[in-house]
Amino acid sequence: MNTGIRVSVSRILLAGVTLMLAAAFSWVAVRQFTATVLAKTMNRPPLEEAVRLAPLSAEYRTRLGYYYLYVDQDAVNAEQQFRKGIELAPTSATGWMGLAKTELNNGDTPASVAALDRAISLDPKGTSTLWEAGNLYLVIGETQKALHQLKLAADTDPSLSVSLMETAWRATRDVDLVLNEGLPATVAWRHDFIEFLISRQQPRAAIRAWDMLVALKQPLSREKSFNLIDYLIEQKHTNDAFHVWQGLVSLSPKVSGNNGAITNGGFESPVLNGGFDWRLAETNDVSFSIDTEDKHSGAQSLAMEIKSARLASFPVMQYVKLEPNTRFRFRAFVKGDLATASGARFAIAEYGKQPLAQTEEFTDGGKWTEVSAVFTTDADASIGIVRLIRERGETLVRGNLSIDDVSLTKEQQP
């Protein structure tokens, strides 16, 4: 009987202890769950309550520290929370980053740099850590360190590329520093930086960035190079536009050389549709092809088919490099059959000005015919435009026209 009683008592005691432990565990779990919910908010009372319920959570203390720092602008309480969080989790890069910001806010730059370096060492590949570090170094005045960290952040997250260029340019306004320290030394990155500078209307900086791009001595993007040339011409940096073209030609063996000031005058190379090469814009009324059967010289010519249309000009043009106070002779060979009361002729003009000269009009003919014009440029001439136009655009035109051996050469003044 006594043995049975003792067993019953033991079971009762064990059950009681189990219930007590379960209750205690439940209470801890409830506190932890409540703290987690509260910590997800960005209001001070819930964050403070979360820390009270879970005082050993480094994460909650760090969140509260950031709230004190950014919202309340209370650096004293922020530092206290960051330091407690670091005591609980010494390897938390987020906590060390918060401490670095707080120390900087307090005016203790050496302590801020020490905490910042510690954060980076703990999370050397974390995009957020690297990006924050770069921006903090900029505030401190460590520009080269800042650009290095920002570059590492963009390496881990390419979506930061525009932000990287914006931040680096705004902080330095120094193309050499940005390209040497802040961006990877690749053709793609330097092309993108030039595009960025174009978007920010920085022609001089874009030209310097171009020179540093060419210095890589690697194949370039024609499309992006053409964008820069067009932008510089629009900005009236015409000599610089030709400088860009020369750099592109030097690294692009497939770009044809000049026939005088004309590029690809015999259409022996593919037409690039940009830069200082021919620009042909096919429309519903005009189409182009390369003719290897009928040519004036060489292996091929440009053939154009025109449907019945009213055209003031044909979609054929090329920018050319001119020199001031210089006499030039323009020549081209044409062949075709145009049914129209107003034929085709070449016009040469300085950029943004009226034509300097026009060739004689051409309508039809069964053989290759030379058309030409002689003119002298103005004192400020730099870039010209060669176009194929019509005197009376209101009249209809249709038929075929072939062009070959276009040239623009300097002549002695009479």
Side-chain angles (χ1 to χ4, degrees), residues 222-268:
R222 286 183 191 168
E223 180 182 355
K224 291 186 177 181
S225 301
F226 291 163
N227 289 343
L228 177 58
I229 289 171
D230 289 346
Y231 168 70
L232 292 173
I233 290 175
E234 291 170 3
Q235 296 295 312
K236 296 183 170 54
H237 288 262
T238 49
N239 287 328
D240 293 319
F242 191 70
H243 170 71
V244 171
W245 172 251
Q246 290 177 308
L248 176 62
V249 170
S250 71
L251 295 173
S252 303
K254 293 185 179 180
V255 176
S256 173
N258 288 1
N259 187 357
I262 294 288
T263 298
N264 199 14
F267 301 95
E268 301 298 314

Short mmCIF file of all heavy atoms in Angstrom, two decimals, residues 222-268:
data_model
loop_
_atom_site.label_atom_id
_atom_site.label_comp_id
_atom_site.label_asym_id
_atom_site.label_seq_id
_atom_site.Cartn_x
_atom_site.Cartn_y
_atom_site.Cartn_z
N ARG A 222 30.00 50.39 -81.66
CA ARG A 222 29.74 51.40 -82.69
C ARG A 222 28.52 52.24 -82.33
O ARG A 222 28.53 53.47 -82.47
CB ARG A 222 29.52 50.72 -84.04
CG ARG A 222 30.77 50.17 -84.68
CD ARG A 222 30.42 49.58 -86.03
NE ARG A 222 31.52 48.80 -86.57
CZ ARG A 222 31.42 48.01 -87.62
NH1 ARG A 222 30.24 47.87 -88.21
NH2 ARG A 222 32.45 47.34 -88.06
N GLU A 223 27.46 51.56 -81.90
CA GLU A 223 26.21 52.27 -81.62
C GLU A 223 26.42 53.35 -80.56
O GLU A 223 25.99 54.50 -80.74
CB GLU A 223 25.14 51.28 -81.15
CG GLU A 223 23.81 51.94 -80.84
CD GLU A 223 22.77 50.95 -80.35
OE1 GLU A 223 23.06 49.73 -80.34
OE2 GLU A 223 21.67 51.40 -79.95
N LYS A 224 27.11 53.00 -79.48
CA LYS A 224 27.32 53.99 -78.42
C LYS A 224 28.32 55.06 -78.83
O LYS A 224 28.22 56.22 -78.41
CB LYS A 224 27.75 53.28 -77.14
CG LYS A 224 26.64 52.43 -76.54
CD LYS A 224 27.01 51.83 -75.21
CE LYS A 224 25.83 51.05 -74.62
NZ LYS A 224 26.14 50.46 -73.30
N SER A 225 29.29 54.68 -79.67
CA SER A 225 30.22 55.67 -80.20
C SER A 225 29.48 56.65 -81.10
O SER A 225 29.72 57.87 -81.05
CB SER A 225 31.34 54.99 -80.98
OG SER A 225 32.06 54.09 -80.17
N PHE A 226 28.56 56.14 -81.92
CA PHE A 226 27.77 57.01 -82.78
C PHE A 226 26.89 57.96 -81.95
O PHE A 226 26.69 59.12 -82.32
CB PHE A 226 26.88 56.17 -83.70
CG PHE A 226 27.64 55.41 -84.76
CD1 PHE A 226 27.04 54.34 -85.42
CD2 PHE A 226 28.95 55.72 -85.08
CE1 PHE A 226 27.73 53.63 -86.39
CE2 PHE A 226 29.65 55.01 -86.05
CZ PHE A 226 29.04 53.97 -86.71
N ASN A 227 26.36 57.45 -80.84
CA ASN A 227 25.55 58.32 -79.97
C ASN A 227 26.37 59.51 -79.48
O ASN A 227 25.88 60.64 -79.43
CB ASN A 227 25.04 57.53 -78.77
CG ASN A 227 23.97 56.52 -79.13
OD1 ASN A 227 23.38 56.59 -80.21
ND2 ASN A 227 23.73 55.57 -78.26
N LEU A 228 27.62 59.26 -79.12
CA LEU A 228 28.48 60.34 -78.64
C LEU A 228 28.78 61.32 -79.77
O LEU A 228 28.75 62.54 -79.57
CB LEU A 228 29.78 59.76 -78.07
CG LEU A 228 30.82 60.79 -77.60
CD1 LEU A 228 30.24 61.71 -76.53
CD2 LEU A 228 32.08 60.09 -77.09
N ILE A 229 29.07 60.81 -80.96
CA ILE A 229 29.34 61.69 -82.09
C ILE A 229 28.14 62.59 -82.37
O ILE A 229 28.29 63.81 -82.53
CB ILE A 229 29.70 60.85 -83.34
CG1 ILE A 229 31.08 60.21 -83.16
CG2 ILE A 229 29.67 61.72 -84.60
CD1 ILE A 229 31.44 59.20 -84.23
N ASP A 230 26.95 62.02 -82.42
CA ASP A 230 25.74 62.82 -82.68
C ASP A 230 25.52 63.87 -81.60
O ASP A 230 25.16 65.02 -81.89
CB ASP A 230 24.52 61.91 -82.79
CG ASP A 230 24.52 61.08 -84.07
OD1 ASP A 230 25.31 61.39 -84.98
OD2 ASP A 230 23.75 60.11 -84.14
N TYR A 231 25.75 63.46 -80.35
CA TYR A 231 25.57 64.41 -79.25
C TYR A 231 26.54 65.57 -79.37
O TYR A 231 26.16 66.75 -79.20
CB TYR A 231 25.77 63.68 -77.91
CG TYR A 231 25.89 64.60 -76.72
CD1 TYR A 231 24.79 65.31 -76.25
CD2 TYR A 231 27.12 64.76 -76.07
CE1 TYR A 231 24.91 66.16 -75.16
CE2 TYR A 231 27.23 65.61 -74.98
CZ TYR A 231 26.13 66.31 -74.53
OH TYR A 231 26.25 67.15 -73.46
N LEU A 232 27.80 65.29 -79.67
CA LEU A 232 28.80 66.35 -79.76
C LEU A 232 28.51 67.28 -80.94
O LEU A 232 28.70 68.49 -80.84
CB LEU A 232 30.20 65.74 -79.89
CG LEU A 232 30.71 65.01 -78.64
CD1 LEU A 232 32.02 64.31 -78.93
CD2 LEU A 232 30.89 65.99 -77.48
N ILE A 233 28.02 66.72 -82.04
CA ILE A 233 27.65 67.58 -83.17
C ILE A 233 26.49 68.49 -82.79
O ILE A 233 26.49 69.69 -83.07
CB ILE A 233 27.30 66.72 -84.40
CG1 ILE A 233 28.57 66.05 -84.95
CG2 ILE A 233 26.64 67.57 -85.48
CD1 ILE A 233 28.32 65.08 -86.08
N GLU A 234 25.50 67.93 -82.10
CA GLU A 234 24.36 68.74 -81.65
C GLU A 234 24.80 69.85 -80.71
O GLU A 234 24.24 70.95 -80.72
CB GLU A 234 23.33 67.85 -80.95
CG GLU A 234 22.60 66.89 -81.88
CD GLU A 234 21.79 65.87 -81.11
OE1 GLU A 234 21.76 65.96 -79.86
OE2 GLU A 234 21.19 64.98 -81.74
N GLN A 235 25.81 69.55 -79.89
CA GLN A 235 26.32 70.54 -78.94
C GLN A 235 27.34 71.49 -79.57
O GLN A 235 27.95 72.30 -78.88
CB GLN A 235 26.96 69.83 -77.74
CG GLN A 235 26.00 69.00 -76.92
CD GLN A 235 24.95 69.84 -76.23
OE1 GLN A 235 25.26 70.85 -75.60
NE2 GLN A 235 23.69 69.45 -76.37
N LYS A 236 27.54 71.33 -80.89
CA LYS A 236 28.48 72.15 -81.66
C LYS A 236 29.94 71.92 -81.24
O LYS A 236 30.80 72.76 -81.48
CB LYS A 236 28.12 73.64 -81.57
CG LYS A 236 26.77 73.94 -82.22
CD LYS A 236 26.46 75.42 -82.20
CE LYS A 236 25.24 75.74 -83.06
NZ LYS A 236 24.04 74.96 -82.72
N HIS A 237 30.22 70.77 -80.66
CA HIS A 237 31.59 70.33 -80.42
C HIS A 237 32.02 69.50 -81.62
O HIS A 237 32.31 68.30 -81.52
CB HIS A 237 31.68 69.51 -79.12
CG HIS A 237 31.52 70.32 -77.88
ND1 HIS A 237 32.59 70.76 -77.13
CD2 HIS A 237 30.41 70.79 -77.25
CE1 HIS A 237 32.16 71.44 -76.08
NE2 HIS A 237 30.83 71.48 -76.14
N THR A 238 32.04 70.15 -82.79
CA THR A 238 32.19 69.41 -84.02
C THR A 238 33.58 68.81 -84.18
O THR A 238 33.73 67.69 -84.68
CB THR A 238 31.85 70.32 -85.22
OG1 THR A 238 32.56 71.56 -85.08
CG2 THR A 238 30.35 70.60 -85.26
N ASN A 239 34.62 69.55 -83.81
CA ASN A 239 35.97 68.98 -83.90
C ASN A 239 36.13 67.79 -82.97
O ASN A 239 36.80 66.80 -83.30
CB ASN A 239 37.01 70.05 -83.58
CG ASN A 239 37.15 71.08 -84.69
OD1 ASN A 239 36.98 70.77 -85.86
ND2 ASN A 239 37.42 72.33 -84.33
N ASP A 240 35.50 67.89 -81.80
CA ASP A 240 35.55 66.76 -80.87
C ASP A 240 34.80 65.55 -81.44
O ASP A 240 35.19 64.40 -81.22
CB ASP A 240 34.96 67.15 -79.53
CG ASP A 240 35.79 68.20 -78.80
OD1 ASP A 240 37.04 68.08 -78.83
OD2 ASP A 240 35.21 69.13 -78.22
N ALA A 241 33.71 65.81 -82.15
CA ALA A 241 32.96 64.72 -82.77
C ALA A 241 33.84 63.96 -83.76
O ALA A 241 33.84 62.72 -83.79
CB ALA A 241 31.72 65.26 -83.46
N PHE A 242 34.61 64.70 -84.56
CA PHE A 242 35.50 64.04 -85.51
C PHE A 242 36.63 63.32 -84.79
O PHE A 242 37.09 62.26 -85.23
CB PHE A 242 36.07 65.04 -86.50
CG PHE A 242 36.78 64.40 -87.66
CD1 PHE A 242 36.07 63.71 -88.63
CD2 PHE A 242 38.16 64.48 -87.76
CE1 PHE A 242 36.73 63.10 -89.69
CE2 PHE A 242 38.83 63.88 -88.83
CZ PHE A 242 38.10 63.19 -89.79
N HIS A 243 37.08 63.87 -83.67
CA HIS A 243 38.10 63.22 -82.84
C HIS A 243 37.60 61.85 -82.35
O HIS A 243 38.34 60.86 -82.35
CB HIS A 243 38.44 64.12 -81.65
CG HIS A 243 39.30 63.48 -80.61
ND1 HIS A 243 40.63 63.18 -80.80
CD2 HIS A 243 39.01 63.07 -79.34
CE1 HIS A 243 41.13 62.62 -79.72
NE2 HIS A 243 40.17 62.55 -78.81
N VAL A 244 36.33 61.79 -81.96
CA VAL A 244 35.73 60.52 -81.53
C VAL A 244 35.71 59.54 -82.71
O VAL A 244 36.03 58.35 -82.56
CB VAL A 244 34.32 60.74 -80.97
CG1 VAL A 244 33.61 59.41 -80.73
CG2 VAL A 244 34.39 61.54 -79.67
N TRP A 245 35.32 60.04 -83.87
CA TRP A 245 35.29 59.19 -85.06
C TRP A 245 36.67 58.59 -85.36
O TRP A 245 36.80 57.41 -85.67
CB TRP A 245 34.79 60.00 -86.25
CG TRP A 245 34.90 59.31 -87.58
CD1 TRP A 245 35.76 59.60 -88.60
CD2 TRP A 245 34.10 58.21 -88.04
NE1 TRP A 245 35.57 58.76 -89.66
CE2 TRP A 245 34.55 57.90 -89.35
CE3 TRP A 245 33.07 57.45 -87.49
CZ2 TRP A 245 34.00 56.87 -90.11
CZ3 TRP A 245 32.52 56.43 -88.24
CH2 TRP A 245 32.97 56.15 -89.52
N GLN A 246 37.71 59.43 -85.27
CA GLN A 246 39.06 58.94 -85.52
C GLN A 246 39.45 57.84 -84.53
O GLN A 246 40.10 56.86 -84.90
CB GLN A 246 40.06 60.09 -85.44
CG GLN A 246 39.94 61.07 -86.60
CD GLN A 246 40.88 62.25 -86.46
OE1 GLN A 246 40.90 62.93 -85.43
NE2 GLN A 246 41.66 62.51 -87.50
N GLY A 247 39.05 58.00 -83.27
CA GLY A 247 39.34 56.97 -82.28
C GLY A 247 38.62 55.67 -82.61
O GLY A 247 39.18 54.59 -82.47
N LEU A 248 37.37 55.78 -83.06
CA LEU A 248 36.60 54.59 -83.43
C LEU A 248 37.25 53.89 -84.62
O LEU A 248 37.40 52.67 -84.63
CB LEU A 248 35.17 54.98 -83.75
CG LEU A 248 34.25 53.86 -84.26
CD1 LEU A 248 34.09 52.78 -83.20
CD2 LEU A 248 32.89 54.43 -84.66
N VAL A 249 37.66 54.67 -85.63
CA VAL A 249 38.28 54.09 -86.82
C VAL A 249 39.58 53.37 -86.45
O VAL A 249 39.88 52.30 -86.97
CB VAL A 249 38.54 55.18 -87.87
CG1 VAL A 249 39.41 54.66 -89.00
CG2 VAL A 249 37.22 55.70 -88.42
N SER A 250 40.35 53.96 -85.53
CA SER A 250 41.64 53.37 -85.17
C SER A 250 41.49 52.00 -84.52
O SER A 250 42.41 51.19 -84.57
CB SER A 250 42.39 54.31 -84.22
OG SER A 250 41.77 54.35 -82.93
N LEU A 251 40.33 51.74 -83.91
CA LEU A 251 40.12 50.46 -83.23
C LEU A 251 39.10 49.58 -83.95
O LEU A 251 38.68 48.55 -83.41
CB LEU A 251 39.66 50.71 -81.79
CG LEU A 251 40.70 51.40 -80.89
CD1 LEU A 251 40.08 51.75 -79.54
CD2 LEU A 251 41.92 50.52 -80.69
N SER A 252 38.70 49.99 -85.14
CA SER A 252 37.69 49.24 -85.88
C SER A 252 38.19 49.03 -87.31
O SER A 252 37.94 49.87 -88.19
CB SER A 252 36.35 49.99 -85.89
OG SER A 252 35.91 50.25 -84.58
N PRO A 253 38.89 47.95 -87.56
CA PRO A 253 39.47 47.73 -88.88
C PRO A 253 38.44 47.63 -90.00
O PRO A 253 38.77 47.83 -91.17
CB PRO A 253 40.23 46.41 -88.71
CG PRO A 253 39.62 45.75 -87.52
CD PRO A 253 39.20 46.85 -86.62
N LYS A 254 37.18 47.33 -89.68
CA LYS A 254 36.16 47.19 -90.72
C LYS A 254 35.58 48.53 -91.14
O LYS A 254 34.80 48.60 -92.08
CB LYS A 254 35.04 46.27 -90.24
CG LYS A 254 35.47 44.82 -90.06
CD LYS A 254 34.31 43.94 -89.69
CE LYS A 254 34.73 42.48 -89.54
NZ LYS A 254 33.60 41.60 -89.20
N VAL A 255 35.95 49.63 -90.45
CA VAL A 255 35.48 50.95 -90.84
C VAL A 255 36.33 51.44 -91.99
O VAL A 255 37.56 51.47 -91.90
CB VAL A 255 35.55 51.93 -89.65
CG1 VAL A 255 35.13 53.32 -90.10
CG2 VAL A 255 34.63 51.46 -88.53
N SER A 256 35.69 51.83 -93.09
CA SER A 256 36.41 52.22 -94.29
C SER A 256 37.15 53.53 -94.09
O SER A 256 36.71 54.42 -93.36
CB SER A 256 35.42 52.37 -95.46
OG SER A 256 36.06 52.90 -96.60
N GLY A 257 38.27 53.67 -94.77
CA GLY A 257 39.00 54.93 -94.75
C GLY A 257 38.30 55.99 -95.60
O GLY A 257 37.31 55.74 -96.28
N ASN A 258 38.85 57.19 -95.59
CA ASN A 258 38.24 58.31 -96.28
C ASN A 258 38.70 58.41 -97.72
O ASN A 258 39.83 58.08 -98.06
CB ASN A 258 38.57 59.62 -95.57
CG ASN A 258 37.83 59.75 -94.25
OD1 ASN A 258 37.11 58.85 -93.88
ND2 ASN A 258 38.03 60.85 -93.57
N ASN A 259 37.81 58.85 -98.59
CA ASN A 259 38.15 59.25 -99.96
C ASN A 259 38.20 60.78 -99.93
O ASN A 259 37.22 61.44 -100.23
CB ASN A 259 37.10 58.72 -100.93
CG ASN A 259 37.51 58.95 -102.37
OD1 ASN A 259 38.54 59.55 -102.64
ND2 ASN A 259 36.67 58.48 -103.29
N GLY A 260 39.35 61.32 -99.52
CA GLY A 260 39.40 62.73 -99.17
C GLY A 260 38.70 62.90 -97.84
O GLY A 260 39.04 62.26 -96.86
N ALA A 261 37.68 63.74 -97.80
CA ALA A 261 36.90 63.94 -96.57
C ALA A 261 35.66 63.04 -96.53
O ALA A 261 34.90 63.08 -95.58
CB ALA A 261 36.47 65.40 -96.45
N ILE A 262 35.46 62.24 -97.58
CA ILE A 262 34.31 61.34 -97.65
C ILE A 262 34.73 59.96 -97.15
O ILE A 262 35.77 59.44 -97.50
CB ILE A 262 33.78 61.23 -99.09
CG1 ILE A 262 33.21 62.56 -99.57
CG2 ILE A 262 32.74 60.12 -99.21
CD1 ILE A 262 31.89 62.94 -98.93
N THR A 263 33.89 59.36 -96.32
CA THR A 263 34.12 57.99 -95.86
C THR A 263 33.38 57.02 -96.76
O THR A 263 32.21 57.24 -97.10
CB THR A 263 33.62 57.83 -94.41
OG1 THR A 263 34.37 58.69 -93.55
CG2 THR A 263 33.80 56.39 -93.93
N ASN A 264 34.07 55.95 -97.16
CA ASN A 264 33.43 54.88 -97.95
C ASN A 264 32.78 55.42 -99.21
O ASN A 264 31.65 55.07 -99.55
CB ASN A 264 32.40 54.16 -97.07
CG ASN A 264 32.01 52.79 -97.59
OD1 ASN A 264 32.68 52.24 -98.47
ND2 ASN A 264 30.92 52.25 -97.07
N GLY A 265 33.52 56.28 -99.91
CA GLY A 265 32.95 56.92 -101.10
C GLY A 265 32.62 55.97 -102.22
O GLY A 265 31.75 56.26 -103.05
N GLY A 266 33.29 54.81 -102.26
CA GLY A 266 32.98 53.83 -103.30
C GLY A 266 32.05 52.73 -102.84
O GLY A 266 31.78 51.79 -103.60
N PHE A 267 31.56 52.81 -101.61
CA PHE A 267 30.63 51.83 -101.05
C PHE A 267 31.22 50.41 -101.10
O PHE A 267 30.50 49.43 -101.29
CB PHE A 267 29.27 51.88 -101.77
CG PHE A 267 28.62 53.23 -101.69
CD1 PHE A 267 28.78 54.15 -102.72
CD2 PHE A 267 27.90 53.60 -100.58
CE1 PHE A 267 28.20 55.41 -102.65
CE2 PHE A 267 27.32 54.87 -100.49
CZ PHE A 267 27.48 55.77 -101.54
N GLU A 268 32.55 50.35 -100.92
CA GLU A 268 33.22 49.05 -100.93
C GLU A 268 33.13 48.35 -99.58
O GLU A 268 33.36 47.14 -99.48
CB GLU A 268 34.70 49.24 -101.31
CG GLU A 268 34.92 49.88 -102.68
CD GLU A 268 34.36 49.04 -103.81
OE1 GLU A 268 34.59 47.81 -103.81
OE2 GLU A 268 33.66 49.60 -104.68
#
